[in-house]
Amino acid sequence: MVDHNKKVVLGFFEAVSERRLADLPRFMAPNVVDHNKIIHGEADEPGAAFEGLRQQLVAFEPLTVQVDELIGEGDQVVARVTQRGVHGGTHPRMPGPTGRSFENEAIWIFTLTEGRITEIRAVSDRLGLFLQLGWEWPGAE
């Protein structure tokens, strides 16, 4: 089961990096919950992760996720990744496109049920992201 779950997570990241949104239901359950607040205010409700990922891909072209390490146990897989992209598109909760690129590390924790991702939690270097893209830190005057 753990090896299969790792393959699902790898497939998920490949689909995101290759912008294959139509393939995401192969890897994510329809009621997947993404607890990761990538920017601010994403819905933390079943199925909202699909729209959240679509918005990220609109904002960042390209956006790639390189899997550096995978660890699996039971129904969970942890991925240490390097994310790279260019802020060239709009997003409802981001500053206007800067045209600047970024590279940062993140840790994603996935819970899988019956071979598909049902929960996502992630932490990333947001300060580094904001600095590289030239964004103001939230709440800064």
Side-chain angles (χ1 to χ4, degrees):
M1 175 173 83
V2 170
D3 287 340
H4 180 268
N5 287 348
K6 287 181 178 180
K7 289 178 184 176
V8 170
V9 168
L10 286 172
F12 164 80
F13 282 126
E14 288 170 3
V16 169
S17 294
E18 295 170 6
R19 309 182 84 72
R20 293 184 285 114
L21 290 171
D23 288 349
L24 290 179
R26 291 179 42 209
F27 309 106
M28 295 170 34
N31 61 345
V32 61
V33 175
D34 184 354
H35 301 284
N36 180 27
K37 302 301 180 207
I38 298 170
I39 302 302
H40 303 287
E42 280 94 355
D44 192 10
E45 59 190 36
F50 290 96
E51 177 61 14
L53 286 166
R54 187 197 67 74
Q55 289 177 355
Q56 293 297 309
L57 291 175
V58 168
F60 297 109
E61 170 68 46
L63 174 66
T64 59
V65 184
Q66 172 188 310
V67 176
D68 300 315
E69 186 175 3
L70 279 180
I71 300 168
E73 181 175 331
D75 63 353
Q76 292 192 310
V77 175
V78 176
R80 184 178 59 81
V81 303
T82 302
Q83 304 169 141
R84 296 177 181 88
V86 175
H87 183 215
T90 60
H91 186 287
R93 289 174 300 282
M94 288 183 193
T98 62
R100 294 173 71 172
S101 62
F102 77 93
E103 177 177 314
N104 71 347
E105 285 192 340
I107 304 290
W108 292 60
I109 304 169
F110 298 92
T111 302
L112 292 89
T113 304
E114 297 177 3
R116 289 201 284 177
I117 298 165
T118 54
E119 285 190 84
I120 303 170
R121 297 183 190 285
V123 293
S124 65
D125 175 12
R126 288 195 195 150
L127 178 58
L129 174 72
F130 277 57
L131 289 172
Q132 290 174 66
L133 295 179
W135 295 352
E136 289 186 24
W137 190 250
E141 298 293 322

